Amino acid sequence: MDSTELAPFQDKLSSALVQVTRTVGQLSSEDLNFHRTSSADFAESLDQQSERILALTSAVLKAATVGTDVDAPALDTEESLEDNWRGVVDVIDSLLEKADACLDEFTGVIKKLSPSQEEQAPVVKKAPYFPTIYDYGPSKIPKPQLLFDHKPDNADFGPFHPLLKTKPHATVALEKSLEQQQLNGAAAHPHPYETEIRNAQYPQSVYQTCPPINFLPFEDTTATFVDTMDGVKEMLEELKQAKEIAIDLEHHDVHSYHGLVSLMQISTRNKDWVVDTLKPWREELQILNEVFADPKILKVLHGSTMDIIWLQRDLGLYVIGMFDTFHAASALGYPKKSLKYLLKKFVDFEADKRYQMADWRVRPLPSAMFDYARSDTHYLLYVYDCLRNELIEASTPEESLIDYVQERSKNEALQRYERPVYDAEKGQGPGGWYDLLSRNAGMLSKEQFAVFKAVHQWRDEVARAEDEGWQCVFPKHVLFKLAQAMPLDMGTLLRTLSPMTPLTKDRAADLLAIIKEAKIAGATGPEWRDFAPPPKAPANMAEPDMDHVDFPIAERYETSQFWGDVLEAQELSAPVSYSTAASLEALRLSLPLPPMPTTVSQAREKLGVSANTETTSAPKAAPVPASAPEEPKYFTVKDLGGPRKRKVAAAVTPDQEVSTPDSLVESINEPDSTEKQRKKSRKEKKAKKATQSGSQSEADSTPFDYGAAESILNVPVASAMRPQPKRTFNPYAKALEAPSGARKQKRDDAGKSMTFRK
Ligand code: AMP
Ligand code: MN
Ligand code: ZN
């Protein structure tokens, strides 16, 4: 194939991939088991297709590994995918490696190695392994919170006491600022730095254009890992000398009920620090308020919404004089406002946002994670310089965009953390049952409604008692399965829970009793429809429903803010098996990340939620530049999720609703950033190797012609493959013939009721 044929080939490939992805999304949102029981034809066709897909996948894997030392896993049953998914990822990895090498040869970066050397060259270089929050099963990392001087008390439902012991840079004394007040009808402590934040003014330098100060080359500098109080004090002294510092946090909330700030990255113009915030003495880090609360030292953060909450909750830290680069990007009307985008735009640095899913509690910190963490703040002051200059440039005598950023940043800094309290009766709040049900309820009987609530509360209690995230008790879709099935005997319960988490296994008898009790009580209890939100009028569709958006203290999200519920959509197809989980994991590892909001705060911004409704009003001089494109109020992760429709989709603006997987196309066209980075290092290694080996012969470099090669798609593979039915099977045929209304009869899973096509 010559280079002129590449573009059409690539187009063809992309569109084929999009088609497949779409179909997969469509299929996984269908209740295939239900269809299976309704038609023997369908069941047979389904089995045939499953076998064919497995056989094809095996053949593709085999073809991809011919002549390499990578073993292609044989996939003969659904379960074998589960057992072998790491093998699948290895094959993909080696393919990327090869493609990379070919590109290097094509661009002349390296000369092709002679066959003898090629043999010596290792074909597979594995991506640096890092623990992710998606590693299944119980955590292998011991709980750091068990060693904290102040251990978390998840049974404490009282108002949150700020951790502040002293108050540097106070204009209102500490005692006065901690006086309990009535806030929103409940006793609470006010924000201890509220007055100081409101009155603060940026230093003059923020209003002055100045050539950006170049960051120091990443490779030539090292960051200091701070894990002693002496180290903290040394760092503090240096920070006091700085005019501006950059701050970021990494957080973990899977194996902790409230969540744990796991790392704090801080950079000045010439140094980076990575602070271990999981030490028993973590609350002593509040001595950093000497800098954090000093209005004369500018604190640059990106998308600070959650950082502000986490800092005060875990470390007793408050920020005065903050410049949030997210709000700067927003004021300037940038098409994207993620840190990833800003780093690419100003620094040409490709941030590997995959590490957002890392389990940041791991110690010692793998070097790749350390570097990632440091890169989140290393360039940020330079980015600030660029943004500040642009903001000044775009300001008018009437409206200063710097002031706009200051107001927005103050609003972020004024947020107040409050503990999520479990509201059993009304289910309100970010961890309540109401929101879950109003999105997914479908039809629930009185008993089912009662069981749902009881099981939901039980899950919250277990998670609190064990100091784990809810999903470690069981994932959301299991709540729906339990409510739907209302199992009254142990056998049915275990089947409904399968695959069971260790936390539930130990308490199955307890859970069974809860379900039985709730079912009986439910018969005379309230109906879900007495609680359900009224259907929305179409005129309001694009408006965020503020009653249901309860974010200000939502420090935990049930689903990844990045992947949304794309994974959950798949989990809904019953029975959930480990092989599904395994392939999802493989998907996570192998798919390029779609261009989604990269921080939780961005997601919130997209939701159009102001986190500070209670304490501040919108800034008066909040200019929205005329050129700023309209931001959609809602976002969904439908790019990968296919056409599955949920109630929440009703709030999506029309142009989003028809969105095809554009981002997928984009991701396919654009190599994943992760891959780019890995590539870079591989390139460096290869270049080194090439120099070492001197010039090599190019004689045997005839590239493999994929165009002319025989397709492996339709080779006769496994003997088990049956002849294909001529007529393509339409799984909807039966449903379409049925009188309307007949379809929704007996469901075996409430969570699935929303996946039916209208
Ligand atoms: P960042 O500010 O991008 O470094 O993110 C800080 C923390 O927010 C991470 O350590 C994660 O705990 C969490 N986080 C950020 N983005 C995501 C995401 N897309 N999905 C899940 N958690 C995220
Ligand atoms: Mn951050
Ligand atoms: Zn970060």
Side-chain angles (χ1 to χ4, degrees), residues 407-426:
E407 283 308 308
R408 286 297 171 114
S409 302
K410 280 186 181 182
N411 282 350
E412 300 284 7
L414 283 166
Q415 292 177 96
R416 210 172 46 80
Y417 171 70
E418 202 49 87
R419 286 197 191 91
V421 172
Y422 195 84
D423 172 8
E425 200 192 330
K426 296 211 185 77

Side-chain angles (χ1 to χ4, degrees), residues 457-723:
Q457 184 171 13
W458 184 84
R459 185 176 74 142
D460 186 78
E461 281 165 7
V462 174
R464 283 180 189 265
E466 294 291 330
D467 201 11
E468 294 278 344
W470 300 306
Q471 64 275 49
C472 295
V473 184
F474 45 71
K476 192 160 60 174
H477 69 271
V478 171
L479 279 172
F480 289 96
K481 274 169 90 178
L482 288 170
Q484 186 72 38
M486 296 190 285
L488 297 178
D489 63 274
M490 191 51 91
T492 316
L493 176 67
L494 297 184
R495 263 199 309 284
T496 314
L497 286 170
S498 168
M500 197 162 25
T501 60
L503 284 188
T504 310
K505 195 173 178 186
D506 297 343
R507 296 171 173 76
D510 192 19
L511 178 57
L512 191 63
I514 293 280
I515 295 172
K516 278 185 189 163
E517 200 181 302
K519 185 171 184 231
I520 296 167
T524 54
E527 296 267 8
W528 161 243
R529 44 167 188 273
D530 299 336
F531 288 77
K536 279 182 216 151
N540 293 335
M541 270 187 173
E543 291 298 316
D545 179 351
M546 296 310 287
D547 291 343
H548 299 138
V549 187
D550 194 2
F551 280 118
I553 57 163
E555 93 288 23
R556 173 191 294 290
Y557 291 81
E558 176 113 12
T559 48
S560 156
Q561 293 304 295
F562 187 89
W563 292 99
D565 49 14
V566 60
L567 303 162
E568 177 201 322
Q570 319 240 351
E571 280 174 329
L572 284 172
S573 49
V576 177
S577 67
Y578 276 117
S579 64
T580 320
S583 42
L584 289 176
E585 177 69 6
L587 180 78
R588 279 188 193 100
L589 291 175
S590 58
L591 266 186
L593 305 180
M596 288 298 300
T598 50
T599 64
V600 172
S601 57
Q602 254 183 289
R604 288 174 45 163
E605 182 77 13
K606 290 223 169 195
L607 280 158
V609 181
S610 161
N612 330 291
T613 42
E614 147 206 319
T615 42
T616 53
S617 55
K620 278 189 203 81
V624 175
S627 62
E630 263 304 309
E631 274 281 307
K633 291 241 165 58
Y634 280 79
F635 79 98
T636 53
V637 189
K638 57 175 58 203
D639 301 315
L640 293 169
R644 178 168 173 265
K645 287 202 178 108
R646 301 166 52 116
K647 259 190 192 154
V648 73
V652 172
T653 50
D655 53 327
Q656 279 178 301
E657 189 54 42
V658 293
S659 84
T660 51
D662 280 346
S663 62
L664 183 64
V665 178
E666 208 178 305
S667 326
I668 291 166
N669 289 336
E670 253 182 12
D672 162 24
S673 62
T674 311
E675 200 33 47
K676 271 190 198 159
Q677 264 198 339
R678 271 157 56 189
K679 214 185 244 179
K680 216 170 137 192
S681 67
R682 288 197 293 246
K683 241 179 223 166
E684 280 154 14
K685 279 186 208 144
K686 268 180 205 143
K688 236 186 230 164
K689 220 185 287 156
T691 351
Q692 282 162 7
S693 58
S695 73
Q696 304 295 330
S697 109
E698 280 172 67
D700 57 347
S701 59
T702 327
F704 181 72
D705 186 348
Y706 286 91
E710 214 174 295
S711 164
I712 58 163
L713 272 180
N714 291 305
V715 289
V717 212
S719 55
M721 259 178 74
R722 281 164 244 177

Side-chain angles (χ1 to χ4, degrees), residues 53-66 72-73 712-713 715 717:
I53 289 169
L54 275 170
L56 276 175
T57 311
S58 282
V60 170
L61 290 170
K62 225 187 211 140
T65 50
V66 171
I712 58 163
L713 272 180
V715 289
V717 212

